Amino acid sequence: MKTSVTIALAGNPNAGKTTLFNRLTGARRHVGNYPGVTVEKKEGIFTHNNQDIRVTDLPGTYSLTAYSVEELVAREFIVNEQPDVVVDIVDASNLERNLYLGCQFLELGVPMVIALNMVDVAESRGIEINTEKLAALLGVPVVPIIARSGKGIDELFDVVLKTAEQEKPTQPVLLRYGSDLDQTIRKMLPLIQENKLLTEQYPARWIALKFLEDDEQILEKARQKNAEVTQLLLQLCETVTAHLQQTMDVYPEAVIADHRYGYIKSILHQGVITEKFVGDRLYTSDKIDKIVTHRVLGPVIMAAILYALYTFTFTYSTTLVDSLASFFAVISNTIDGLLPDGPLKSMIISGAIDGVGGVLGFVPIIMFMFFGIAVLEDSGYLARVAFMMDRIFHFFGLHGSSVMPFIVSGGIAGGCAVPGVMATRTLRSPKERIATLLTVPFMNCGAKLPVLTLLIGAFFSAHQARYMFLSTVAAWLVALISAKFLRITVLRGESTPFVMELPPYRFPTIRGLVIHTWERTWQYIKKAGTVILGISILLWAMMTYPGLPEVQTVQFEQQRQEILASSNQEQGAEATGSIDLTEEQNSALGILNNQEAQAALRNSFAGRIGIALESVSRFAGFDWRTNIALVGGFAAKEVIVSTLGTAYSLGDVDPNNSLSLKDRLSADPNWNPVVALAVLAFIMFYAPCFVTVVCIAREAGSWKWAFFSMGFNTIFAFIMAIAIYQIGMALGLGG
Ligand code: GDP
Ligand code: MG
């Protein structure tokens, strides 16, 4: 028996070290400071089985790097004082995170016992831990305790004393840190060992790790010992750091941390933890999951649920959409009658009402869709979708956690790429993250929904729900294939393993559903009232000015007079003042007015841009008016509908007109189902809107990726559109 055994209590802050320390030492303790720093040092002595034990309560730390004074103090104490046993206090209710520190003790090769504290808390949360299995996998003793009540403490110190008596030194555990780092470590080891660089104090491998982690304290010590070898080692580190930076945009520290967590996860996933909630809620959830996430049944159920969502949304919202459309038509007509002709009337009707009305008209669809999504989300089903999609995602070089950004961006239709891009923050691997944020804008966000609905309603009205569903499938396919493409070209690299929680199923509450639906719908309405209103008026101005040159206005006026004059002649001398025009005259006037408005639009700023683009866009069947809308859509996709509305209503003259844009498009000779499909594809896949682009730049940390996404998407979308148009027309589907 040794005269006195020394132990150190280590652990994360709040793991219960002080509680244990106080229980052990009672009044027999001494509080001072560690030499040179203000960190408190508590020491005490107690007896267990007649053996004196000296115990030191180390400062709480999450890691053993040299980033904070606490970490440094804890590490120095263990290395310099060499306690017989380190007791690592681990919070059982937060095992994965707490084991990170223990993992580093293992790498350091110190004799250790894990005190699995707070098992009462873990139990109340339904977490059950198989301590024997954990001990076997980690290779160190694990003793469950409750520091607050003292339960398990005797057993803990029986084990501690047994460990202290062991003669053979503890071997450091070897972890892998990925092929790049492992290779470098293999080159560093002989240099360290042959020159005995700090090897009396630390294991050689651990020194190599500290060099890679850029640990100032160890580097300084090494320099003092042997500056030359230190320099050689640093060169090796620099080479691999540069390589990791270039290939994965990460630092070695991050790779090392990832692998430590990977080691812990792989241990915990081998049946060490079972989470079981009290009551039968999770039990039922488990049973549901057996079916719902089944390999074969799962995807079938998922497809059926999503298809039901589309049917629900598009069947039940039509009446509301139609009545809103007539409502805006009534307002237009009323203002038309009240205001005198002129720029003000034109601005209010063609700019504001057609623009904002076009967007607001879709509120019912958006609302129904959001309601359906809220049901899926609140019930817990959406997490299962992510879980099932992970298998597919891995194949395409993405991660299970990429599913949420995709869904937020409109993966089920109706979302927004801006929060979607921000949601990629949960992804740890930089490459998977960039691949995700570059591809989420392909989803059918809430702003694209109105355009899709408009075009599908105008040209494929017989199968609206089916086409919407197909467009969502197409969005996913394009996003995943592009992700794969990026991951085998510019973003090549390994995929990280998937971990995601499956919360228990819950019955959604009506209150929750209403709040979720309304929050999202209101955001959409607010945008229509502000940003969209501004852009609509700006685009209206660009489409109205500078107007027709003087000469042409005079010409049109002359022609108009001629038509009126012809009526006077026919009706003889008695026809003076107000006259009833014949049907032919009316239609001749209509055509003339239409031609004038068209000529004015062509001459406008926006018209000139649209016409200039026509030389390219005609390959995809887009006319210049569509081009105007597509350019406007870069500011915000919502604007596409309103701009099309303005472009087509400017050329419209029937006095009793209340034709909706949908009817105008399907009647227009420039449009047919093939053109509509080409435009649809282009809108779904071309450059993300301006706000998203800014967001991508911010999240990816460089404008490079933002410009890449604009260019890549637009070129891709245009090729798709051309292919659809050319093939469709060649097959004679243009009608
Ligand atoms: P330290 O930061 O590691 O020193 O942690 P403390 O000893 O200060 O403990 C943090 C908190 O956890 C305190 O409120 C303790 O009362 C509580 N605590 C410690 N051990 C246990 C335990 O086994 N069970 C429960 N329920 N609470 C504990
Ligand atoms: Mg404490």
Side-chain angles (χ1 to χ4, degrees):
M1 199 188 277
K2 298 187 183 180
T3 48
S4 146
V5 169
T6 60
I7 66 163
L9 298 182
N12 289 10
N14 289 319
K17 288 187 310 314
T18 308
T19 309
L20 180 62
F21 179 83
N22 290 346
R23 181 165 280 282
L24 294 175
T25 58
R28 297 201 296 156
R29 58 181 162 176
H30 165 79
V31 179
N33 276 346
Y34 285 95
V37 290
T38 55
V39 177
E40 205 173 70
K41 183 186 190 187
K42 279 184 270 179
E43 290 174 304
I45 191 161
F46 69 99
T47 321
H48 179 78
N49 292 349
N50 299 322
Q51 170 73 60
D52 277 349
I53 301 178
R54 299 183 156 275
V55 52
T56 306
D57 183 17
L58 295 178
T61 59
Y62 295 106
S63 174
L64 286 185
T65 39
Y67 296 135
S68 71
V69 191
E70 284 79 13
E71 291 177 350
L72 213 53
V73 163
R75 179 169 103 188
E76 284 305 280
F77 182 86
I78 287 166
V79 171
N80 297 335
E81 309 291 320
Q82 304 210 337
D84 295 311
V85 179
V86 173
V87 178
D88 182 16
I89 321 283
V90 165
D91 176 354
S93 66
N94 197 356
L95 198 52
E96 182 172 328
R97 177 156 194 200
N98 272 249
L99 281 178
Y100 189 74
L101 179 67
C103 176
Q104 294 179 67
F105 286 128
L106 293 176
E107 288 172 291
L108 193 52
V110 297
M112 175 167 72
V113 172
I114 287 181
L116 195 60
N117 192 26
M118 310 229 194
V119 282
D120 54 331
V121 180
E123 203 167 309
S124 73
R125 292 193 196 159
I127 303 170
E128 221 173 73
I129 296 164
N130 183 337
T131 43
E132 288 94 55
K133 202 158 201 172
L134 180 61
L137 289 169
L138 285 172
V140 295
V142 177
V143 185
I145 65 165
I146 300 174
R148 199 148 71 177
S149 70
K151 191 161 175 260
I153 291 182
D154 277 343
E155 292 84 342
L156 174 66
F157 282 94
D158 289 345
V159 173
V160 166
L161 288 183
K162 223 158 79 200
T163 307
E165 275 159 20
Q166 262 170 17
E167 291 301 327
K168 68 172 180 18
T170 316
Q171 285 303 315
V173 168
L174 300 184
L175 296 193
R176 312 232 160 273
Y177 309 99
S179 57
D180 287 331
L181 291 184
D182 285 347
Q183 243 169 31
T184 308
I185 293 173
R186 267 200 296 279
K187 284 185 209 153
M188 294 169 81
L189 284 181
L191 274 173
I192 297 170
Q193 283 157 340
E194 281 158 26
N195 295 290
K196 296 201 164 47
L197 189 70
L198 306 176
T199 42
E200 306 97 83
Q201 285 158 293
Y202 311 98
R205 205 177 150 79
W206 194 83
I207 297 168
L209 272 185
K210 293 296 131 182
F211 266 81
L212 286 167
E213 287 177 323
D214 199 21
D215 186 311
E216 267 312 316
Q217 194 215 18
I218 298 293
L219 288 183
E220 196 44 48
K221 282 189 185 176
R223 265 191 215 104
Q224 283 170 13
K225 201 89 195 256
N226 190 336
E228 218 174 306
V229 176
T230 304
Q231 201 48 44
L232 286 175
L233 289 168
L234 280 176
Q235 266 165 19
L236 285 170
C237 292
E238 268 164 33
T239 313
V240 73
T241 304
H243 178 74
L244 286 176
Q245 274 283 299
Q246 208 172 39
T247 52
M248 303 200 295
D249 196 22
V250 287
Y251 284 98
E253 292 104 289
V255 179
I256 293 170
D258 275 354
H259 282 82
R260 283 184 187 136
Y261 273 116
Y263 169 74
I264 296 165
K265 274 200 184 111
S266 73
I267 286 179
L268 297 187
H269 279 215
Q270 295 173 54
V272 168
I273 293 190
T274 15
E275 297 204 31
K276 184 168 66 198
F277 280 88
V278 199
D280 65 354
R281 202 160 53 113
L282 190 99
Y283 192 51
T284 323
S285 285
D286 281 342
K287 280 200 262 189
I288 299 177
D289 272 339
K290 275 228 161 62
I291 302 165
V292 163
T293 62
H294 185 268
R295 280 190 91 81
V296 183
L297 275 179
V300 175
I301 294 174
M302 180 166 71
I305 288 182
L306 296 186
Y307 190 74
L309 177 67
Y310 285 92
T311 314
F312 163 76
T313 303
F314 291 95
T315 312
Y316 293 103
S317 63
T318 25
T319 344
L320 274 171
V321 171
D322 289 347
S323 38
L324 261 179
S326 353
F327 171 71
F328 283 109
V330 169
I331 296 188
S332 280
N333 287 339
T334 315
I335 291 179
D336 194 27
L338 287 177
L339 288 179
D341 281 345
L344 180 68
K345 176 167 155 182
S346 164
M347 188 193 84
I348 292 179
I349 293 181
S350 293
I353 297 182
D354 278 8
V356 173
V359 175
L360 288 184
F362 290 95
V363 165
I365 295 185
I366 304 262
M367 218 158 74
F368 275 74
M369 185 58 91
F370 282 156
F371 183 82
I373 292 178
V375 172
L376 299 188
E377 195 174 353
D378 292 4
S379 64
Y381 183 69
L382 219 48
R384 273 70 189 179
V385 173
F387 182 79
M388 281 185 280
M389 293 301 242
D390 179 61
R391 286 180 217 141
I392 303 170
F393 267 54
H394 254 259
F395 177 77
F396 289 100
L398 296 171
H399 189 265
S401 322
S402 309
V403 175
M404 278 304 157
F406 275 100
I407 288 176
V408 171
S409 303
I412 308 186
C416 179
V418 171
V421 166
M422 291 197 281
T424 61
R425 282 181 197 166
T426 51
L427 284 151
R428 268 205 284 152
S429 144
K431 286 191 174 171
E432 286 169 350
R433 182 164 177 233
I434 292 187
T436 308
L437 64 82
L438 285 180
T439 46
V440 293
F442 286 133
M443 294 293 119
N444 289 334
C445 69
K448 289 182 204 170
L449 221 51
V451 205
L452 303 191
T453 323
L454 170 77
L455 294 178
I456 289 172
F459 295 96
F460 313 100
S461 55
H463 311 287
Q464 207 165 359
R466 187 185 306 167
Y467 267 84
M468 281 309 295
F469 182 68
L470 283 179
S471 87
T472 305
V473 174
W476 279 95
L477 278 181
V478 167
L480 290 176
I481 292 169
S482 320
K484 182 76 183 175
F485 173 75
L486 293 171
R487 292 285 272 129
I488 56 175
T489 55
V490 284
L491 292 168
R492 201 161 41 216
E494 283 284 293
S495 290
T496 48
F498 175 75
V499 186
M500 191 159 165
E501 291 172 8
L502 292 179
Y505 286 102
R506 257 175 256 107
F507 259 108
T509 63
I510 296 293
R511 196 185 136 79
L513 292 179
V514 169
I515 291 175
H516 281 154
T517 308
W518 179 245
E519 272 172 359
R520 290 172 182 164
T521 311
W522 176 239
Q523 274 183 347
Y524 181 83
I525 297 176
K526 222 166 47 183
K527 204 162 147 196
T530 53
V531 185
I532 310 288
L533 178 64
I535 296 171
S536 290
I537 292 179
L538 176 75
L539 283 166
W540 164 84
M542 286 185 66
M543 287 156 85
T544 307
Y545 297 102
L548 276 181
E550 188 75 41
V551 212
Q552 283 195 42
T553 318
V554 172
Q555 272 175 5
F556 276 110
E557 194 50 42
Q558 265 174 8
Q559 289 178 20
R560 215 184 322 265
Q561 289 308 326
E562 276 166 27
I563 294 174
L564 290 174
S566 75
S567 93
N568 288 345
Q569 282 163 12
E570 270 166 35
Q571 296 186 5
E574 71 261 38
T576 47
S578 67
I579 18 135
D580 293 327
L581 295 179
T582 64
E583 208 143 286
E584 289 144 53
Q585 286 171 322
N586 237 335
S587 89
L589 270 182
I591 292 171
L592 187 66
N593 286 346
N594 201 347
Q595 283 170 347
E596 183 175 9
Q598 288 280 331
L601 182 58
R602 280 177 167 274
N603 194 48
S604 70
F605 295 117
R608 291 178 207 184
I609 296 173
I611 289 167
L613 287 174
E614 222 176 28
S615 60
V616 190
S617 73
R618 68 194 162 90
F619 294 112
F622 305 169
D623 74 344
W624 56 283
R625 284 182 293 194
T626 310
N627 290 346
I628 299 175
L630 295 177
V631 171
F634 175 63
K637 298 271 151 86
E638 287 93 335
V639 172
I640 297 175
V641 170
S642 53
T643 312
L644 279 174
T646 314
Y648 282 88
S649 77
L650 276 177
D652 200 71
V653 279
D654 184 349
N656 303 315
N657 167 276
S658 61
L659 266 189
S660 69
L661 176 58
K662 188 169 108 178
D663 297 331
R664 281 182 196 144
L665 286 183
S666 47
D668 195 283
N670 277 331
W671 284 79
N672 60 49
V674 174
V675 173
L677 214 56
V679 174
L680 265 183
F682 189 78
I683 290 171
M684 278 172 66
F685 304 126
Y686 84 124
C689 71
F690 176 69
V691 186
T692 306
V693 169
V694 173
C695 219
I696 290 178
R698 204 171 48 208
E699 293 297 322
S702 90
W703 275 91
K704 183 182 78 177
W705 289 116
F707 287 125
F708 177 85
S709 119
M710 282 161 65
F712 179 80
N713 294 14
T714 307
I715 292 168
F716 172 77
F718 193 50
I719 293 173
M720 287 274 284
I722 293 177
I724 291 173
Y725 179 70
Q726 298 295 348
I727 294 171
M729 294 311 269
L731 292 178
L733 301 174

